[in-house]
Amino acid sequence: MITLLHNPRCSKSREALALLEEAGADVQVRRYLDDPLDAAELEALIQRLEGELSSLVRQNEPEWKALGADADEPHQVVEALLAHPRILQRPIADDGRRAIIGRPPEAIRALLD
């Protein structure tokens, strides 16, 4: 089972969902803006994240800039995402062992192997 943290308004997120569905993957879609991750879920996601922690947040968003937070500090990233779920990078595919940011969407193919 792959959980896709999804924003249907995002073209990259829609592409990632289509890629997973076309591959026949068992996908659970979680619209993280409607159903935000809690602190424990974010901390666990960070542990599984492949790549730099700083890539988890949309650092060009005004909400992030206003916080003046350190994108390499897990506690600050979690606090920022709890306050502003919109700044979570998307899409993210998570199979429970690894979490991959789908930028580009093709990056999530690594979970299909």
Side-chain angles (χ1 to χ4, degrees):
M1 167 76 72
I2 295 174
T3 299
L4 183 68
L5 299 178
H6 179 62
N7 178 348
R9 295 183 63 202
C10 172
S11 63
K12 300 293 183 200
S13 195
R14 291 191 308 269
E15 287 176 37
L17 179 58
L19 185 149
L20 290 170
E21 289 176 339
E22 288 170 10
D26 187 10
V27 181
Q28 175 184 353
V29 173
R30 181 167 179 180
R31 293 183 173 196
Y32 65 91
L33 293 175
D34 298 328
D35 182 15
L37 284 73
D38 64 28
E41 290 172 315
L42 287 167
E43 290 165 1
L45 178 67
I46 288 169
Q47 294 299 314
R48 293 188 301 275
L49 184 66
E50 293 194 353
E52 299 293 322
L53 174 61
S54 61
S55 66
L56 192 59
V57 293
R58 299 171 60 84
Q59 295 182 50
N60 289 327
E61 296 296 333
E63 296 91 338
W64 175 258
K65 289 179 179 181
L67 292 171
D70 181 349
D72 293 314
E73 173 24 64
H75 179 73
Q76 290 182 33
V77 169
V78 168
E79 291 301 314
L81 292 172
L82 288 173
H84 305 285
R86 190 176 89 77
I87 65 174
L88 179 68
Q89 189 58 269
R90 62 191 182 257
I92 300 173
D94 183 352
D95 69 0
R97 292 173 294 139
R98 298 183 301 161
I100 297 175
I101 296 172
R103 292 213 169 248
E106 294 78 22
I108 64 174
R109 288 186 192 275
L111 294 180
L112 300 173
D113 297 334

